[in-house]
Amino acid sequence: MDEIFQNQVIEKPVSVVYNTNPLSSNTFYALETPYTPYQKYYIGSLPRIDLVIQNKSGDCLSGIEIKLTALPDQTTFNLSEDNYGTEIIVRPGTIVYLACSILDMFSDDLQSLYSMLAPIESRIEEWTNHYPSYC
């Protein structure tokens, strides 16, 4: 899958990430709120995410999961910087929003998404047949 999903690190201005001017008087920051544009992909109530950027009309402009970690922490403060680490927190809601964002990216070309997932699907089926007690 590496030939399909290649990582590229880029910098983006906050205005691009937020999809608006972060200092505008029209910008509203809603904490612990569902990102409602993804409701069309989800049955039931969407989980809340950390930050939803909205305009004053309540239209969702972007949604962000935030995890702030201070480095060093209590386990690494005696170590040299090359021994510091980072962490990623993946909560159940994070998985929901990841899946919804993938569907949203491919909403105009679902066939491409299906083509990319087909090899994975066969491996999942093979795994579930081999380890039925986990499923």
Side-chain angles (χ1 to χ4, degrees), residues 37-62:
Y38 288 166
Q39 186 63 59
K40 61 187 170 193
Y41 304 119
Y42 194 77
I43 297 171
S45 299
L46 278 168
R48 297 174 299 165
I49 60 174
D50 294 334
L51 176 63
V52 175
I53 293 88
Q54 301 174 329
N55 60 24
K56 293 284 183 177
S57 302
D59 300 320
C60 294
L61 306 173
S62 65

Side-chain angles (χ1 to χ4, degrees), residues 40-110:
K40 61 187 170 193
Y41 304 119
Y42 194 77
I43 297 171
S45 299
L46 278 168
R48 297 174 299 165
I49 60 174
D50 294 334
L51 176 63
V52 175
I53 293 88
Q54 301 174 329
N55 60 24
K56 293 284 183 177
S57 302
D59 300 320
C60 294
L61 306 173
S62 65
I64 301 172
E65 281 283 302
I66 301 169
K67 173 61 176 157
L68 299 176
T69 302
L71 291 176
D73 63 13
Q74 71 274 13
T75 62
T76 59
F77 72 95
N78 284 325
L79 303 175
S80 61
E81 284 188 29
D82 62 327
N83 288 310
Y84 292 175
T86 59
E87 64 182 343
I88 183 168
I89 302 298
V90 180
R91 298 175 276 216
T94 307
I95 301 302
V96 168
Y97 282 99
L98 175 61
C100 289
S101 67
I102 291 169
L103 284 171
D104 199 57
M105 276 183 8
F106 287 94
S107 63
D108 293 335
D109 188 13
L110 287 176

Side-chain angles (χ1 to χ4, degrees), residues 7-19:
N7 294 326
Q8 181 181 5
V9 177
I10 58 172
E11 290 185 23
K12 290 185 177 185
V14 173
S15 59
V16 172
V17 174
Y18 284 12
N19 200 25

